[in-house]
Amino acid sequence: MDSNREKLTTMQRADRYMFQTYGRFPVTLVRGEGCRVWDENGKEYLDFVGGIAVCALGHSSSVVTDALQEQSRTLVHVSNLFYTKPQIDVAELLVKNSFADRVFFSNSGAEANEAAIKLARHYAREKYGESRFTIISMENSFHGRTMATLSATGQDKVRKGFDPLLPGFRFVPFNDLPSIQSALDETVCAIMMEPIQGEGGVVCPKPGYLQNVRKLCKEKDVLLIFDEVQVGMGRTGKLFAHEHFGVTPHIMTLAKALGNGLPVGAMLATEELSKAFGPGTHASTFGGTPLVTAVCKAVLESLLADGWIEHCRNVGAYFKSRLEALREKYSFVREVRGYGLILGMELDLPGGPVVNACMDKGFLINCTQERVLRFIPPLIVQEQEVDQLVDTLDEILKECGSRNVEGGR
Ligand SMILES: *Cc1c(COP(=O)(O)O)cnc(C)c1O
């Protein structure tokens, strides 16, 4: 019976059976190890996407697989009606290594932000009454795809077609203090932002900007929410990105690298704020299961104890200097920016063809905002692997350059 069945490729089956929500690359990845992944035809790739800043310790890390194996034989899930140890261990580690006093676990970045939005509103309502609910967020931001988080996301392509959105969000340009000042009226309860915009194209704050935002928040008793879903967990060369700027938020959200590939998010907040979330105010069935948090614990311990954050700082600085050299060499490379191992290279031409050429040559990178090549490899990446990528990128850009000249641009 099976022998008569049409033989479809993996991609054809995806086209037939799955929602077509993702614009995917035409490869099926089947295995990974360290910074390398392999497709179903055995082709090897060096991975500078890292599951979108998720796989900080790389693929098939023994840190992850050991914790996963052991915990899967011990206790996978019992619900949050009961205490379980691994989530408490992770909460303690996060609190002891951050500004925060308390942690709430979710399953994703969007849900962590959803919790942050709810907490900010609940807190403001208890303190100031019903009129204080507006959340200021940034143009070009990305906070997730649930209704509340897409309402907070400052990108039309994410919001389009889902009206009516959640009311009470107001957008201002990133790096523009005066526009926050004019948006800050009596209805505002919080400012929500990524300290470095990831999906927005690796956009970094200008010197003094975040400090001034924090000052404004203090003056107006407005909460500051940092979405560190992408840039937290060592990605920038510090455990949390805001540490670079000496600015502490009231609420911070984490996800991507927190579980190195297991689905998990977290919202962290100060003691005072946490009081606004009493029993019954918020919940998640899967939030912080023993299985997932056992992995988070192992990952966090490794990040803190095995020198990966310092490694990220060093390799990131080397990587950036090599990208800067390409910027000097090619006039159509507009800017190189970022911290640690979240680096962006903005081009004056579409990045898509460069990404595809990299893939042909065995390197995975991606592109945001059409023209920004984004590099977010595992934090364990080695200089020599960076060299391989940058040498290849150099060849590709050289070709782009000559085509560009021929095209008369
Ligand atoms: C990826 C991302 C999210 C959304 O996380 P999901 O796990 O996809 O819901 C939110 N904020 C930022 C900054 C992100 O990069």
Side-chain angles (χ1 to χ4, degrees):
M1 169 185 146
D2 265 351
S3 61
N4 285 338
R5 228 168 55 186
E6 216 182 330
K7 187 89 176 108
L8 298 177
T9 65
T10 307
M11 285 171 226
Q12 285 168 333
R13 286 195 296 126
D15 285 348
R16 175 170 294 186
Y17 297 118
M18 297 194 66
F19 269 79
Q20 299 295 299
T21 50
Y22 300 105
R24 299 189 208 254
F25 294 107
V27 288
T28 303
L29 299 175
V30 293
R31 189 165 74 83
E33 198 181 314
C35 293
R36 263 149 236 278
V37 291
W38 286 266
D39 71 15
E40 61 184 350
N41 303 314
K43 181 173 173 183
E44 181 180 307
Y45 301 85
L46 250 183
D47 182 9
F48 282 78
V49 177
I52 316 185
V54 166
C55 307
L57 301 179
H59 301 282
S60 306
S61 165
S62 61
V63 172
V64 174
T65 51
D66 289 353
L68 203 46
Q69 277 184 20
E70 195 186 324
Q71 190 61 41
S72 69
R73 283 194 291 259
T74 310
L75 189 68
V76 170
H77 173 84
V78 288
S79 90
N80 285 310
L81 295 173
F82 309 96
Y83 292 99
T84 51
K85 282 186 176 159
Q87 64 170 225
I88 301 164
D89 292 338
V90 178
E92 182 175 6
L93 273 171
L94 287 172
V95 164
K96 288 192 168 156
N97 287 283
S98 74
F99 71 93
D101 301 307
R102 292 182 187 272
V103 180
F104 178 89
F105 288 105
S106 63
N107 310 291
S108 66
E111 285 167 285
N113 286 331
E114 190 86 22
I117 291 165
K118 285 181 71 178
L119 178 63
R121 286 199 171 165
H122 213 260
Y123 173 82
R125 163 126 344 175
E126 287 181 347
K127 194 164 173 184
Y128 292 102
E130 282 179 17
S131 61
R132 200 150 159 148
F133 55 81
T134 303
I135 293 174
I136 295 177
S137 74
M138 302 295 137
E139 289 171 11
N140 251 355
S141 59
F142 184 78
H143 298 296
R145 300 281 196 159
T146 64
M147 280 309 290
T149 57
L150 75 81
S151 300
T153 290
Q155 299 191 49
D156 287 342
K157 65 172 194 245
V158 174
R159 301 153 55 89
K160 213 177 113 202
F162 294 107
D163 300 308
L165 303 185
L166 211 66
F169 291 89
R170 192 175 286 170
F171 297 99
V172 299
F174 190 69
N175 269 331
D176 181 352
L177 198 69
S179 59
I180 293 190
Q181 277 163 323
S182 42
L184 256 180
D185 62 20
E186 289 301 306
T187 71
V188 174
C189 70
I191 298 173
M192 179 172 191
M193 63 197 299
E194 302 153 86
I196 297 167
Q197 293 188 326
E199 302 305 307
V202 194
V203 182
C204 300
K206 286 190 198 146
Y209 173 63
L210 294 180
Q211 289 87 333
N212 285 325
V213 172
R214 184 71 177 86
K215 232 183 269 166
L216 274 180
C217 287
K218 191 166 176 155
E219 278 167 33
K220 306 265 180 177
D221 196 22
V222 159
L223 301 174
L224 183 59
I225 304 170
F226 276 162
D227 176 347
E228 294 223 16
V229 166
Q230 184 159 156
V231 295
M233 304 311 294
R235 172 64 45 193
T236 64
K238 300 215 183 250
L239 186 56
F240 305 115
H242 65 260
E243 295 171 22
H244 287 283
F245 312 105
V247 174
T248 311
H250 300 90
I251 304 174
M252 171 172 70
T253 54
L254 299 172
K256 291 195 164 81
L258 184 59
N260 207 86
L262 274 88
V264 61
M267 175 189 63
L268 286 71
T270 59
E271 180 67 26
E272 187 193 345
L273 275 169
S274 71
K275 290 189 189 124
F277 253 11
T281 45
H282 194 54
S284 169
T285 298
F286 293 118
T289 64
L291 185 70
V292 162
T293 45
V295 173
C296 295
K297 181 186 176 198
V299 168
L300 189 47
E301 283 173 346
S302 174
L303 275 184
L304 292 169
D306 298 339
W308 293 122
I309 296 177
E310 193 191 352
H311 176 84
C312 164
R313 220 162 30 234
N314 295 335
V315 177
Y318 175 74
F319 195 171
K320 196 174 184 184
S321 72
R322 288 226 49 195
L323 293 176
E324 286 285 0
L326 294 184
R327 182 182 57 79
E328 276 162 31
K329 189 164 167 186
Y330 298 107
S331 60
F332 54 88
V333 177
R334 180 181 289 233
E335 194 180 26
V336 171
R337 49 186 187 246
Y339 287 76
L341 285 167
I342 175 163
L343 296 172
M345 177 186 250
E346 183 169 347
L347 307 177
D348 283 330
L349 16 127
V354 178
V355 172
N356 292 337
C358 280
M359 180 162 256
D360 282 345
K361 292 177 189 283
F363 294 88
L364 305 184
I365 64 169
N366 89 334
C367 177
T368 64
Q369 304 299 314
E370 261 105 71
R371 285 164 186 249
V372 183
L373 303 180
R374 180 176 49 170
F375 308 98
I376 39 180
L379 305 188
I380 61 170
V381 71
Q382 299 293 325
E383 279 190 7
Q384 168 238 331
E385 292 167 323
V386 168
D387 283 336
Q388 288 176 38
L389 170 75
V390 177
D391 292 345
T392 302
L393 201 56
D394 193 357
E395 287 167 26
I396 293 168
L397 293 180
K398 196 179 294 164
E399 265 175 51
C400 284
S402 50
R403 238 181 293 129
N404 227 15
V405 173
E406 283 159 28
R409 276 198 45 171

